[in-house]
Amino acid sequence: MRYIIALVLCLPTGLWANNWDALRAPDAIAIMRHALAPGGGDPTNHTIGDCTTQRNLSDQGRAQARRIGQALRAQKITFDMVYTSQWCRTSETARLLEYGSPRKAPALNSFFGNPALRAPQTRDLRAQLERTEGLNIWVTHQVNISALTGTGTSSGEIIVFRLTPDGTEILGRIMIDP
């Protein structure tokens, strides 16, 4: 006699499913961590505007960014504007999403190498988010997303949230592939 044992793992939907409807919610804001870029941080002598001095997207990261853009368009998601930090890996990710020319926003720049910038830069980013209308996507770095939303992200992951008087409310997450 054969016995078949099945193990069913029940997880809340938000832990594994992309929440596309979150992008359609009133006041939704999409913030994305740049696509795959091997390593961590940047060399101490990096220069904004000189990609040869920075950590950059890998071929896998470039392909990931393209797939994310394709998946967003397949869901008929449109953005009024794409904002990016001045770092090469975020700018390239934003460009590869293929939603038009990204606009540089210094408030999205990484402060990984200078933690003293966390509070003032996060205040600046929040102020910019409060002034901006429509559905936009903001391509930035893990430290910025964590400081603003209180949650971590994987490379290429999109956090959808709204601003609240006390901080932020996470509406959903979208992760096309690791």
Side-chain angles (χ1 to χ4, degrees), residues 21-29 134-135 160-163 169 171:
D21 288 338
L23 288 166
R24 296 175 181 94
D27 302 323
I29 298 168
L135 180 61
V160 184
F161 67 101
R162 72 170 51 110
L163 297 174
E169 173 190 2
L171 302 174

Side-chain angles (χ1 to χ4, degrees), residues 18-173:
N18 289 325
N19 188 342
W20 298 107
D21 288 338
L23 288 166
R24 296 175 181 94
D27 302 323
I29 298 168
I31 195 163
M32 176 183 177
R33 183 177 178 189
H34 60 77
L36 293 165
D42 284 291
T44 55
N45 63 343
H46 73 276
T47 303
I48 290 177
D50 183 353
C51 296
T52 65
T53 67
Q54 300 176 30
R55 182 167 61 103
N56 293 295
L57 296 184
S58 63
D59 289 341
Q60 186 180 3
R62 284 187 278 286
Q64 180 189 34
R66 286 184 192 98
R67 284 191 303 275
I68 293 165
Q70 290 166 355
L72 289 162
R73 285 187 298 284
Q75 291 293 320
K76 304 211 183 320
I77 303 297
T78 59
F79 295 106
D80 295 300
M81 180 58 64
V82 178
Y83 292 92
T84 179
S85 86
Q86 295 173 300
W87 262 245
C88 295
R89 61 186 171 271
T90 59
S91 296
E92 187 174 17
T93 297
R95 183 180 55 75
L96 292 171
L97 294 175
E98 295 183 9
Y99 275 97
S101 297
R103 183 176 294 170
K104 304 275 174 129
L108 293 170
N109 287 351
S110 177
F111 52 80
F112 181 80
N114 189 355
L117 294 175
R118 179 181 187 198
Q121 197 167 309
T122 302
R123 274 193 309 274
D124 290 348
L125 177 55
R126 184 177 173 97
Q128 190 170 357
L129 292 168
E130 289 171 346
R131 290 190 308 268
T132 307
E133 295 183 14
L135 180 61
N136 304 293
I137 188 161
W138 304 75
V139 184
T140 188
H141 308 266
Q142 164 59 36
V143 292
N144 302 73
I145 295 169
S146 180
L148 181 66
T149 67
T151 190
T153 56
S154 296
S155 295
E157 185 175 12
I158 300 168
I159 304 296
V160 184
F161 67 101
R162 72 170 51 110
L163 297 174
T164 66
D166 298 327
T168 60
E169 173 190 2
I170 304 294
L171 302 174
R173 301 172 84 100

